[in-house]
Amino acid sequence: MNREYDVLIAGTGAAGLYAALRFPENVSVLLISKRELSLSNSSLAQGGVAAVLDTINDDYQLHIQDTLTAGKNKNNLAAVEVLVKEGPSDVLKLKELGVDFDLLENGEMQKTLEAGHSRHRIVHHKDSTGRAITEKLIETVKSRPNIDIYENTLLYKLEKCENGFLAGLLTESEGSCVTAAHYCILASGGIGRVYQYTTNSAIATGDGITFAHMLGADIKHLSWIQFHPTAFAAENDRERFLISEAVRGEGAYLLNCEGKRFAHKYDERGELAPRDVVSNAIMLESIATNSEKFYLDITHKDPEFIRERFPMIYKKCLEENIDITKDHIPVFPCQHYLMGGIDVDLNARTTVDRLYAAGECSHTGVHGANRLASNSLLEALVFSRRAADDILKRMQTDNNQPFGDHRTEDELSGRQLPHGYRTEIRRLMQECHFVIKKPEAVPANLERAKEILRDLTEGGYEINRDFVEARSLATVAVIVLEEVMKENDTE
Ligand SMILES: Cc1cc2nc3c(=O)[nH]c(=O)nc-3n(C[C@H](O)[C@H](O)[C@H](O)COP(=O)(O)OP(=O)(O)OC[C@H]3O[C@@H](n4cnc5c(N)ncnc54)[C@H](O)[C@@H]3O)c2cc1C
């Protein structure tokens, strides 16, 4: 690893990879991921990417309106317009790079419908779109000589210095080191692991949000968290496998413990209402029936179609002894997505000079209070490209002197982290800020989260991945619950 780079990108999901590709060969880029390159929320994305590619049957205004409706009109309209109008060219760019989108016989991309969309506009690769996109992007970044890629490399510290940042990195191959970069793009993903049950990958611990917060960047709407109504209701697994929205889009029924459809009781759009509405309906029905047993039923569709359209879901469910062509799929809501994050402008600039954020860790305002299905990969693409372009523009005028001598190592040793902090944080969050909120539990849970964070900050613990992630989870919990307290106080 070099001692300095033009740009550091933390994260190899859709946002980090796509940003990296924008930089020409004369710009040195360090691209890191704290685990394997392919372990990310992006790789898990099933449904697809929403984009207006067919301007005869669809138009920008409809996609904008669907996004605003799902977001309860709390979206940033300017950001939504950028997303919707620029997004199609990024999707076409992916196709040009070789992403294997499902095609119609005439060669056009297949477009499916998902909840909250008024038109068929979700392009996909079967039910594993994210993996198809990230695999192709990883292959492409690997061919670029200006991009140094380090996997299993944890960003544990980010400090501002003259001309940029000093980044503390714990690498598998080279141990710990401190490297400098003139610009940093945080593309570090969401916060799912702050909950007991989530669809998110193990990397989603809110590290980037924590670093940005420590640097004094504005963090916005971190309590705007989306719960997916239909995660596979496994007994014990923390990471719950998602039964994609597209399954309901293709006509699956949502059933209660008595095998009856109920979604229409709570919203006239029934199973195709936006996620928060369906999650709420399940929780209310759970109270009404005094049961947490819920099911998706797609058995009325042609088995061959099901196996062809949802091969991954079919396979994953079979591993749990559920044949979705014949059996009902047990489902229950769980944490899925973060709408808030590090506040950024239309060029993905944070409020800290030279610090950018893109993808799920950022708050562009496109999602408002609730994300429309399949808008997040689109957001990751559009705003990471804009971040890279803004950096390229700035590089023409910024006076970026070499960093010269800077420290290259940190002291990382310390006490062992006690067991249980992460589990406790998850319990605190699950208890008071799940689908149906419990405001009365927030003050005590916030106090406890603050105590844990204080100990983590002042306790002299060894800096390793466990410590960094525990500190991130505690930081996220404190920010979320403080925000909720403020809202409760003003209501
Ligand atoms: C199961 C599932 C299904 C989904 N389906 C869809 C869908 O169909 N359509 C859609 O639009 N969206 C979908 N989403 C949401 C979407 O996938 C994510 O919002 C989006 O991919 C996030 O991309 P990202 O690049 O911001 O972060 P991620 O893809 O999560 O990548 C984060 C990266 O940051 C790295 N990182 C984090 N912390 C550190 C650190 N301290 N040091 C170094 N590296 C670090 C990680 O290693 C990882 O490489 C889905 C999400 C899930 C979980």
Side-chain angles (χ1 to χ4, degrees), residues 69-70 115-116 229 245 248 267 269-270 272-279 370-372:
T69 304
E245 207 104 53
R248 277 175 291 130
D267 189 286
R269 290 164 289 182
L272 287 181
R275 294 182 172 163
D276 60 326
V277 177
V278 180
S279 293
N370 182 44
R371 172 183 68 125
L372 180 65

Side-chain angles (χ1 to χ4, degrees), residues 32 42 47 67 86 229 236 252 279 307 318 350 424 468:
I32 58 166
S42 298
T67 303
E86 294 187 4
N236 292 315
S279 293
R307 278 190 291 265
L318 259 195
T350 72
E424 194 177 349
V468 169

Side-chain angles (χ1 to χ4, degrees), residues 8-18 31-50 114 122-124 127-130 133-134 150-157 168-170 186-191 198-209 211 226 228 239-246 275 312 335-338 358-362 367 371-381 384 465 468-469 472:
L8 163 69
I9 302 177
T12 60
L17 292 165
Y18 197 61
L31 179 63
I32 58 166
S33 78
K34 69 177 168 180
R35 298 274 299 270
E36 307 87 290
L37 291 183
S38 57
L39 195 80
S40 64
N41 278 2
S42 298
S43 296
L44 294 176
Q46 298 179 354
V49 192
E114 285 190 348
I122 322 298
V123 295
H124 51 85
D127 57 353
S128 52
T129 308
I133 293 174
T134 48
Y150 279 78
E151 60 186 339
N152 294 310
T153 295
L154 175 84
L155 177 69
Y156 64 81
K157 189 180 203 174
L169 303 174
L170 245 179
L186 294 169
S188 47
I191 57 147
T198 175
T199 57
N200 285 194
S201 135
I203 55 84
T205 52
D207 298 358
I209 293 168
F211 294 128
Q226 184 172 74
H228 198 288
E239 185 177 323
R240 292 194 157 186
F241 174 60
L242 182 72
I243 308 297
S244 158
E245 207 104 53
R275 294 182 172 163
M312 186 168 67
Q335 191 284 345
H336 185 53
Y337 184 76
L338 172 67
E360 194 166 340
C361 70
S362 70
H367 306 300
R371 172 183 68 125
L372 180 65
S374 289
N375 264 356
S376 44
L377 282 170
L378 193 68
E379 181 199 32
L381 298 171
S384 67
R465 205 174 81 213
V468 169
E469 294 188 347
S472 299

Side-chain angles (χ1 to χ4, degrees), residues 103-123:
L103 304 179
L104 296 168
E105 274 176 9
N106 66 7
E108 272 179 31
M109 285 188 256
Q110 270 184 30
K111 297 167 201 78
T112 194
L113 187 65
E114 285 190 348
H117 287 276
S118 57
R119 291 290 185 278
H120 284 68
R121 63 168 77 98
I122 322 298
V123 295

Side-chain angles (χ1 to χ4, degrees), residues 4-5 44 63 81 127 144 202 235 243 309 336 366 388 393 425 445 461:
E4 59 179 81
Y5 288 87
L44 294 176
H63 190 183
E81 285 183 344
D127 57 353
R144 295 288 176 89
E235 288 296 307
I243 308 297
R309 177 70 181 85
H336 185 53
V366 295
K393 200 145 67 187
I425 290 285
N445 290 15
Y461 294 112

Side-chain angles (χ1 to χ4, degrees), residues 162-181:
E162 212 191 331
N163 269 341
F165 299 92
L166 289 181
L169 303 174
L170 245 179
T171 75
E172 204 178 35
S173 48
E174 299 176 19
S176 72
C177 62
V178 175
T179 195

